[in-house]
Amino acid sequence: MAEYANIIVDISHDKLDKTFIYRIPEALADRVGVGVQVYIPFGNRKIRGYVVELTDRAEYDTTKIKEILGIVGRSIPIESRLIALAGWMRRNYGGTMNQALKTVLPVREKKKRVQKKTVCLALDGVEAKNQLGVYQRKHNTARARLLEALIAQQELGWEVITGKLNVSSSVISAMEQAGVVRVLTRVCYRNPVGNLPAEEYSLVLNPSQQAVVDAVVRDYDAGVRRTYLLKGVTGSGKTEVYMELIAHVISAGKQAIVLIPEIALTYQTVMRFYRRFSDRVSILNSKMSAGERYDQFLRAKNGEIDIIIGPRSALFTPFENLGLIIIDEEHETSYKSGSVPRYHARETAVERAAMEDASVVLGSATPSLESYYRAGNGVYCLLELTERVKKKPLPVCTVTDLRSELASGNRSILGRRLAALLEDRLKRGEQAMLFLNRRGMAGFVSCRACGHVIKCPHCDVSLSQHGGCGPDTGRMVCHYCGHTEAVPAVCPVCGSKYIGGFKAGTQKIEQVLRAQFPGAGVLRMDFDTTRSREGYEQILSAFANREADILIGTQMIVKGHDFPNVTLVGVLAADLSLHVSDFHAAERTFQLLTQAAGRAGRGDLPGEVVIQTYQPEHYAVVHAANQNYEGFYGEEIIYREMVGYPPVSNMLAVQVFSREEESGFALADRLAAEVKEKFIKPEEKGAGGTIPLQLMGPAPATIGRINDIFRFVFYVKCAKYDKLVQIKDLLEEEMQKRQSADELVQFDFNPMNTM
């Protein structure tokens, strides 16, 4: 048995981000293991720490090694493989080991278990009837009422007795003491999906779906573990493929994690999985209570469920025999963590699968450029579903040029084509979805007359508007290089006064619809209407039950939902995301438009889509309207190659935070200069004569100050990811030397958005 434990202290501070050795007292020897949280003496304090290694060797004088004081009673041990995964995350994404450990342990504290009490009859039939007669003669009406119910049913729940029968707990206790009844207490799990109806499942895969399943199963049974990219058009039946693969790994005694991008998708997804796998499936998400999350953690750890479904954090479910990780809608940005460590669920899933001898399936109708690029290079295995199930046609898509609408005098949010089709669907009793592309709202400056967007002359991204709406109060900033210029009063191309940011939101659209179609039932799904725990479920259920004719929403309504009666989808202001100050802008727009279009015509009736835009000629809009992923990828990857953006190269965002504006920018400038001096040598040329490492910035962050903390950023581009990790390590060392409480540096590898 090991004599010492290497422990990382529970303080998220860079200079303490290392292990400290402690002696394991004999009294705790059988309870201290890797992943256990313990109390330790640290200086003059008693603090917590995690055991990350057990050892018999001490690297310095054993007389100076202190003892572990005790084990944290309500803490949850971390599996040793998850600790290894936390170490990988810390190395590859930055931050402290403690931040990584807390990430892989989304449930950190034990919660009191739920106890379910029932009351059963302790007498045989004759004795019970005799005792009932005694109670009736003595007018013990409450006791007689309970005994009579138990004679009929033998066992009743505590809540039924105290509620429906109106029998007090003191009466139950008295009858228990008299030996008439027995009170049974059972510990049970909180089950967030326990109230779902069980239905018989029967589905035969079509030949395309079966071919995909066969390819993965063939590898799996041969002991080959790979990462697969399943590219399937909207409505092609990817979920059925997932379930068939999961059924196969479960039959081999393994478990599966299914990641979905939004809590809003949980309800529909779980319903489909529950029909197939019943109570062997559960969920994890932030809307659940701490007790519910803890119980799902226990159920997974104890092998009482085989499948967990949830967003990014569900990746760290403590399954003992993990066999498969599925990431649905893998292109979604929500798979990237916004807090330190800024890990991406896709890469982290691949790493966990390698540790667990599991396979990974990434699914999307519009794969991220990173995944498709890797599939093209043989890193991932590409599998495709090119047709909708039952050979249903893809929706017919029409593009409305909002410049023409404006020129003809229509300043309404609804173009004439979309308004006419809405009226038609309402008359026919069919449903419609209106998607407002809010991403980037009012962030860029464009002309409503000619569609011109003002871009940075140095970075080929749009400039972002700051500090107001007019030429006197606002300026435009590039968040890559820091270039600034004034907001123009008129369009510099056509001279139109219709230049500025988009102002309408979902509430405004709802008002327009109610005024124009007073008889229509309208539901709105956005951040405001889904604040409550049940908000998503209630809105989606109401729309699925055809309690409304039109569903208005932002990004959350276009991701994976399946409403058979929806025959019309309208995309309002499609180009809002097209010119965000971010090199991902065209990719995000194409994905959103394609996913939105995919909501139409999923039932027996054909679907139609109207995309309203000021730039109908843009390649992202053109290819989305034609559902042509390969065409879009071919154009976009050329642009990425030209400017060296991911996935062709890798990118590191270095964020600097400071209480003082001047010192913050000076620190960012100094760190950037350090990178330039140590890593950028002009004489080194890469392929095609390019310098293998490029630096952009520093510049003020997108939001330059939050809570009086000033924010700056610079970017480093390099083909080799390991080189960026070296830069991260160098800058971490520099910051450790400074030891300033007023300054902080954080890292984001291949950022999903402009910092």
Side-chain angles (χ1 to χ4, degrees), residues 400-420 422 434 436 448 498 502 504 508-517 571-573 612-614:
T400 294
D401 187 345
L402 291 177
R403 297 171 300 187
S404 300
E405 294 284 320
L406 180 66
S408 65
N410 180 20
R411 297 184 185 179
S412 169
I413 294 168
L414 301 177
R416 287 166 296 182
R417 172 73 177 168
L418 180 55
L422 276 171
L434 294 185
L436 175 61
R448 299 295 180 257
Y498 297 110
F502 191 80
K508 173 68 173 174
I509 295 163
E510 183 180 10
Q511 292 169 6
V512 169
L513 285 172
R514 291 192 186 280
Q516 195 162 342
F517 306 105
V571 181
L572 309 178
Q612 299 188 161
T613 175
Y614 288 98

Side-chain angles (χ1 to χ4, degrees), residues 324-536:
L324 181 65
I325 301 172
I326 290 170
I327 304 183
D328 192 27
E329 308 291 357
E330 66 85 29
H331 63 277
E332 282 292 334
T333 57
S334 59
Y335 287 126
K336 179 70 178 283
S337 171
S339 57
V340 179
R342 289 192 170 90
Y343 71 95
H344 197 296
R346 181 177 56 232
E347 280 77 42
T348 310
V350 171
E351 182 64 23
R352 182 174 184 191
M355 293 178 176
E356 306 264 8
D357 192 34
S359 295
V360 178
V361 175
L362 311 172
S364 176
T366 55
S368 62
L369 259 71
E370 286 78 6
S371 292
Y372 202 67
Y373 186 78
R374 288 170 189 163
N377 291 336
V379 179
Y380 297 163
C381 176
L382 179 64
L383 303 169
E384 295 192 72
L385 295 171
T386 57
E387 292 182 333
R388 283 185 160 186
V389 292
K390 299 180 181 177
K391 298 191 181 295
K392 294 174 185 173
L394 288 167
V396 175
C397 193
T398 304
V399 178
T400 294
D401 187 345
L402 291 177
R403 297 171 300 187
S404 300
E405 294 284 320
L406 180 66
S408 65
N410 180 20
R411 297 184 185 179
S412 169
I413 294 168
L414 301 177
R416 287 166 296 182
R417 172 73 177 168
L418 180 55
L421 288 174
L422 276 171
E423 188 169 358
D424 174 68
R425 294 313 191 270
L426 292 171
K427 287 178 181 176
R428 286 158 47 177
E430 297 167 14
Q431 291 176 295
M433 296 172 70
L434 294 185
F435 163 51
L436 175 61
N437 186 4
R438 284 183 61 93
R439 186 168 276 154
M441 180 167 290
F444 67 94
V445 176
S446 69
C447 176
R448 299 295 180 257
C450 73
H452 175 70
V453 174
I454 301 177
K455 291 190 173 186
C456 173
H458 311 294
C459 300
D460 197 31
V461 296
S462 68
L463 297 176
S464 292
Q465 185 176 348
H466 284 254
C469 301
D472 298 326
T473 57
R475 294 192 66 77
M476 299 178 296
V477 180
C478 174
H479 293 295
Y480 284 96
C481 72
H483 171 80
T484 66
E485 59 184 79
V487 176
V490 296
C491 175
V493 173
C494 71
S496 168
K497 64 180 181 180
Y498 297 110
I499 187 164
F502 191 80
K503 306 274 189 313
T506 49
Q507 285 181 294
K508 173 68 173 174
I509 295 163
E510 183 180 10
Q511 292 169 6
V512 169
L513 285 172
R514 291 192 186 280
Q516 195 162 342
F517 306 105
V522 180
L523 280 172
R524 176 166 56 89
M525 189 171 182
D526 55 21
F527 180 76
D528 291 331
T529 61
T530 55
R531 289 178 185 271
S532 71
R533 177 178 168 176
E534 296 83 15
Y536 295 100

